[in-house]
Amino acid sequence: MNNIWQRLKNLPWQELGFISFITTLIVVVSEIFLVLGHTYLPVVREPLELLFSSPFFRILIPIGVAVGMGALAVYLLEWWQKNWLLNNSSLWALVLCLFIGLLLKSLLPVPALFVSASRPSLICIAIGVFWKGRPYWRR
């Protein structure tokens, strides 16, 4: 039991928290820009209304955004050359940090247009993280 706590303590929580903050910030900013574009620009409003009027895309878009959010977080870790910290345990910790970021996002007065803190979002984020982080599974 002590070994599990020691492994949890040794995870790079600071880097993973920073990456999840940046990823959540990118999602929040894109949602804000799309809400403002939908409100003020008919060029943006018409395609968004067309996309969200379809029941298929209404389900597929949040799934794709959550998977993309997980993959973006792993990509940002690779881009900042933090490959040394990517392993199976840190990928699970990254999923946890991203979900905590979504929980904090739900406290903001921003509408949840694409992704919100829910069980399907958590599953899709894990799929995105482990899909992009496949080379790091066995480390």
Side-chain angles (χ1 to χ4, degrees):
M1 186 66 153
N2 194 14
N3 189 17
I4 294 172
W5 289 112
Q6 193 63 28
R7 289 175 72 189
L8 281 174
K9 282 184 191 177
N10 291 333
L11 285 173
W13 292 107
Q14 210 169 21
E15 289 90 356
L16 296 175
F18 178 70
I19 292 297
S20 66
F21 172 74
I22 296 295
T23 306
T24 307
L25 188 67
I26 289 171
V27 170
V28 168
V29 167
S30 64
E31 283 182 345
I32 289 172
F33 278 142
L34 280 175
V35 166
L36 290 175
H38 182 272
T39 305
Y40 297 113
L41 299 172
V43 175
V44 177
R45 182 182 315 124
E46 293 168 5
L48 280 179
E49 287 177 355
L50 185 65
L51 277 175
F52 283 107
S53 66
S54 168
F56 177 71
F57 285 118
R58 192 179 305 142
I59 294 171
L60 188 65
I61 289 172
I63 290 171
V65 170
V67 170
M69 186 177 175
L72 177 66
V74 176
Y75 175 75
L76 288 175
L77 278 171
E78 290 175 344
W79 186 65
W80 271 311
Q81 298 173 0
K82 302 286 186 181
N83 289 346
W84 57 270
L85 63 86
L86 286 170
N87 57 29
N88 196 18
S89 303
S90 64
L91 289 176
W92 279 112
L94 181 63
V95 170
L96 177 67
C97 289
L98 286 170
F99 192 69
I100 290 171
L102 283 182
L103 287 173
L104 293 176
K105 176 189 167 279
S106 68
L107 299 175
L108 296 174
V110 177
L113 184 63
F114 290 132
V115 66
S116 62
S118 64
R119 187 178 301 170
S121 295
L122 177 63
I123 293 169
C124 292
I125 286 172
I127 289 171
V129 165
F130 284 97
W131 171 65
K132 178 68 176 143
R134 182 175 298 189
Y136 310 108
W137 284 1
R138 301 287 180 226
R139 285 187 179 185

